[in-house]
Amino acid sequence: MEYLLIFIAAVFVNNIVLTQFLGICPFLGVSKKIETAVGMGAAVTFVLTISTIVTFLVQKYVLDPFNMGYLQTIAFILIIAALVQMVEIVLKKVSPSLFQALGVYLPLITTNCCILGVAILVIQKKYNLMESTVFAFSTAIGFALALIIMAGIREQIAMTNIPKGMKGTPIALIIAGLLAMAFMGFSGIV
């Protein structure tokens, strides 16, 4: 039951993009088409889940025992960058078609603050490994959900006649604000 609550809270109530404002750059930049939003969402889900597991283990078995907590941010950034590079190399050799589909999005994930934010949040919330994994996966699903919804709305907006001054970033920010308010309706659930 606890894992279900973590899932619902991470996807709907505390959506990483719409309530905590992490990952805004890819949220606004990659949300012009549903196809690219799905690709980015899948790549973020994979990398976020794996990087959270690895950073959790490094924190618990390397940084904490040797009292090197002050190196957390630097260590996590290096781990995330290395994981993204390893995933890219493995995908290129094992599944070239999947690499072609996600290849464009993998380098962008290295600089996505959502990945680092979740790795640090897991430590701050004092989750165990299983809770950390569920939280990371759920947060990634929430990120993908927000990204896909935003892309769908932006595709529909592109077919309408809106004022010239509202095209591009202004309308995207208004949509993001309305989505954030809509997700606030879930705040009483958990």
Side-chain angles (χ1 to χ4, degrees), residues 18 176-186:
L18 300 174
L178 291 172
L179 275 176
M181 289 186 347
F183 270 69
M184 281 177 49
F186 294 116

Side-chain angles (χ1 to χ4, degrees), residues 60-124:
K60 293 298 177 194
Y61 297 110
V62 176
L63 297 179
D64 286 348
F66 295 108
N67 293 324
M68 296 189 308
Y70 58 90
L71 293 174
Q72 180 187 54
T73 304
I74 294 170
F76 285 8
I77 290 171
L78 291 173
I79 289 166
I80 291 165
L83 279 172
V84 169
Q85 289 301 312
M86 283 192 293
V87 166
E88 200 169 348
I89 291 168
V90 168
L91 280 179
K92 189 184 265 187
K93 292 195 184 273
V94 173
S95 177
S97 61
L98 184 60
F99 175 75
Q100 288 292 332
L102 297 178
V104 177
Y105 308 113
L106 285 174
L108 293 175
I109 294 172
T110 304
T111 59
N112 189 344
C113 61
C114 171
I115 309 290
L116 178 62
V118 170
I120 292 172
L121 280 172
V122 160
I123 303 302
Q124 289 176 347

Side-chain angles (χ1 to χ4, degrees), residues 124-188:
Q124 289 176 347
K125 292 179 183 245
K126 299 188 186 313
Y127 283 153
N128 61 35
L129 183 60
M130 188 62 184
E131 291 170 337
S132 299
T133 305
V134 169
F135 179 74
F137 180 75
S138 305
T139 300
I141 295 297
F143 177 85
L145 177 68
L147 195 64
I148 292 166
I149 291 172
M150 179 71 158
I153 293 171
R154 287 181 78 176
E155 279 187 0
Q156 291 297 314
I157 292 283
M159 294 187 293
T160 63
N161 189 13
I162 59 172
K164 185 178 180 182
M166 293 298 292
K167 289 186 179 182
T169 305
I171 195 70
L173 292 173
I174 290 171
I175 295 167
L178 291 172
L179 275 176
M181 289 186 347
F183 270 69
M184 281 177 49
F186 294 116
S187 62

